[in-house]
């Protein structure tokens, strides 16, 4: 007996199958399958005929069934090693989520986002990620010798880290920008713009980006470097403000400031203004990321472009290669960045 549509009482329309497509196109089921998987070794005329049948029937792949047949879940985890309040403050993570979700959806996959805020959550995630709940994982903001990475080291879960995983650089696949080179560019630019001391508010020094951006700054300053020109931040707006206040108290003649993220730079600009400093006339300021925060401040922020979307796409491609077995060894991708000049420097 045919099932009925619960809304209209009419016989329910059966979902078209791959066999229906094959019958309408006059080809084998295997040919339809090859078309659905990219059309390799299918003649153009046959490809057009099958695609026309797919459109006519309104056929769509049952991705859940396909994932089960392949032994997969159709889910990818995006794990962020950060406290919740920082996550929602930083505009970069919203962009990562949008790119990941958009691309995975095209492949019939689902993004699961979670945070590892403390040891208890890391232990839970270690169990969750390694017991078949997801097909792979993307990790962001890993710290030096990240305990979660140590736990995943002996597991075969396909995994890509956003940024260099300090202590595990050779063990896992990662996509990062050349932070040291980018910071060297920023500090050299400021040195050419100013005639006095150039300070920096760094990112957390237990992260690769925080450490390498500091090293680039120090290398550019050379003999002009002094520890008193450095304040450590934690990527938050408030830490940028505190860092700038600290640097001004130690260096009243400060003429340039490199802040390791745009969000911290916004906080730093607020502190400079409160201290009566004009930007860029008294202190030139450069941030990092070219995020939405860079254009939400006056004057707009000169900054280094962080290719977030390219990073996300590269990471997804590597993860797909790891999941499908096309790649079996860790892959490392280092991306370049560029200076975006605006009014702050």
């Amino acid at each position: 007996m045919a099932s009925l549509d619960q809304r209209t009482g009419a016989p329910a329309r059966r979902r078209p199958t791959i066999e229906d497509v094959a019958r309408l196109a006059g080809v084998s089921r295997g040919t339809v399958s090859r078309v659905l998987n990219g059309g390799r070794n299918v003649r153009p005329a046959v490809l057009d005929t099958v695609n026309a049948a797919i459109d006519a029937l309104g056929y769509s792949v049952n991705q859940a069934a396909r994932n089960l047949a392949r032994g997969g879940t159709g889910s990818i985890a995006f794990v962020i090693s950060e406290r919740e309040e920082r996550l929602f403050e930083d505009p970069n993570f919203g962009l990562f989520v949008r790119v990941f979700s958009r691309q995975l959806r095209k492949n019939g996959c689902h993004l699961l986002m979670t945070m590892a805020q403390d040891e208890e959550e890391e232990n839970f995630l270690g169990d969750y990620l390694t017991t078949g709940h997801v097909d792979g994982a993307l990790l962001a903001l890993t710290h030096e010798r990240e305990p979660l990475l140590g736990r995943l080291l002996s597991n075969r879960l396909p995994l890509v880290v956003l940024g260099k995983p300090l202590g595990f650089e050779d063990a896992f696949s990662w996509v990062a920008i050349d932070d040291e080179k980018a910071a060297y560019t920023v500090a050299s630019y400021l040195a050419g713009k100013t005639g006095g001391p150039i300070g920096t508010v760094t990112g957390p020094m237990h992260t690769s980006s925080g450490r390498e951006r500091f090293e680039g700054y120090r290398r550019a300053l050379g003999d002009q470097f002094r520890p008193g020109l450095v304040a450590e931040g934690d990527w938050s707006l408030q830490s940028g403000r505190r860092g700038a206040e600290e640097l001004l108290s130690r260096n009243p003649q400060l003429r340039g400031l490199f802040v390791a993220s745009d969000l911290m730079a916004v906080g730093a600009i607020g502190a400079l203004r409160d201290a009566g400093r004009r930007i860029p006339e008294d202190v030139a300021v450069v941030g990092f990321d070219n995020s939405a925060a860079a254009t939400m401040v006056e004057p707009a922020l000169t900054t280094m472009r962080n290719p977030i979307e390219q990073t996300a796409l590269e990471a997804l491609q590597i993860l797909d290669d790891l999941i499908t077995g096309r790649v079996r060894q860790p892959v490392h991708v280092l991306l370049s960045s560029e200076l975006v000049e605006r009014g702050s420097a």
Side-chain angles (χ1 to χ4, degrees):
M1 181 177 176
S3 61
L4 300 179
D5 188 311
Q6 294 182 355
R7 294 172 299 172
T8 65
R13 185 171 181 263
R14 181 174 64 85
R15 178 176 180 149
T17 67
I18 193 170
E19 286 80 7
D20 294 330
V21 175
R23 190 159 40 247
L24 180 60
V27 299
S28 68
R29 187 185 191 281
T31 298
V32 177
S33 180
R34 286 197 299 276
V35 171
L36 293 172
N37 285 285
R40 293 180 182 177
N41 301 318
V42 179
R43 288 183 289 113
V46 175
L47 187 66
D48 291 343
T49 300
V50 173
N51 282 326
I54 289 171
D55 291 341
L57 292 171
Y59 174 80
S60 62
V61 176
N62 187 333
Q63 193 64 45
R66 175 177 282 189
N67 289 331
L68 288 172
R70 293 176 176 176
T73 66
S75 295
I76 299 296
F78 179 29
V79 182
I80 303 172
S81 182
E82 187 54 277
R83 296 204 302 272
E84 184 174 344
E85 60 270 22
R86 301 257 180 84
L87 168 64
F88 292 106
E89 186 181 48
D90 193 326
N92 288 334
F93 292 107
L95 182 54
F96 272 126
V97 170
R98 286 197 296 275
V99 176
F100 288 151
S101 297
R102 182 187 70 216
Q103 295 302 120
L104 290 172
R105 189 163 54 244
K106 291 179 181 178
N107 297 327
C109 293
H110 178 65
L111 182 71
L112 301 173
M113 189 179 76
T114 186
M115 288 165 286
Q117 301 186 79
D118 52 38
E119 184 177 356
E120 182 179 356
E121 287 191 349
E122 287 184 346
N123 288 334
F124 170 79
L125 282 171
D127 291 336
Y128 185 85
L129 295 174
T130 58
T131 51
H133 293 283
V134 296
D135 297 331
L138 301 148
L139 268 66
L141 278 185
T142 57
H143 300 168
E144 185 173 16
R145 289 287 173 186
E146 181 75 49
L148 181 59
L149 285 176
R151 185 162 185 176
L152 296 174
L153 187 59
S154 61
N155 189 271
R156 295 185 177 182
L157 177 74
L159 175 68
V160 180
V161 182
L162 307 177
K164 294 180 185 177
L166 288 178
F168 297 101
E169 291 93 336
D170 296 329
F172 293 101
S173 293
W174 50 260
V175 180
I177 63 171
D178 193 336
D179 284 298
E180 183 173 350
K181 181 180 179 181
Y184 180 88
T185 298
V186 169
S188 299
Y189 173 83
L190 282 170
K193 286 274 188 178
T194 66
I198 299 169
T200 185
V201 181
T202 74
M205 298 301 281
H206 56 263
T207 65
S208 62
S209 51
R211 186 175 298 180
E212 292 189 3
R213 291 174 196 180
F214 166 69
E215 291 297 336
Y217 156 85
R218 180 165 64 177
R219 182 163 63 89
L221 259 62
D223 294 341
Q224 302 301 311
F225 172 77
R226 302 195 313 272
L229 289 169
V230 180
E232 184 174 347
D234 59 14
W235 304 130
S236 70
L237 186 146
Q238 285 303 317
S239 74
R241 170 178 280 276
R242 289 193 301 269
E245 291 170 346
E246 181 182 330
L247 291 173
L248 278 177
S249 69
R250 295 199 300 252
N251 307 277
Q253 302 305 313
L254 191 72
R255 294 288 292 122
L257 182 59
F258 166 44
V259 190
S261 81
D262 291 344
L263 193 62
M264 290 196 300
V266 171
I269 286 174
L272 292 170
R273 282 224 176 91
D274 288 349
R277 301 302 201 276
R278 296 170 301 162
I279 300 160
E281 292 86 357
D282 298 326
V283 183
V285 180
V286 180
F288 202 111
D289 287 334
N290 196 32
S291 67
T295 56
M296 294 171 63
V297 66
E298 181 60 38
L301 191 62
T302 294
T303 182
M304 286 300 295
R305 186 179 71 88
N306 189 344
I308 297 292
E309 183 161 358
Q310 185 182 0
T311 299
L313 293 174
E314 291 278 1
L316 285 173
Q317 183 59 62
I318 294 169
L319 186 62
D320 187 60
D321 288 343
L322 291 169
I323 291 171
T324 58
R326 290 190 295 267
V327 169
R328 300 187 182 277
Q329 298 298 321
V331 177
H332 304 142
V333 175
L334 196 63
L335 302 174
S336 61
S337 55
E338 61 185 355
L339 187 69
V340 179
E341 296 186 59
R342 296 194 179 97
S344 68

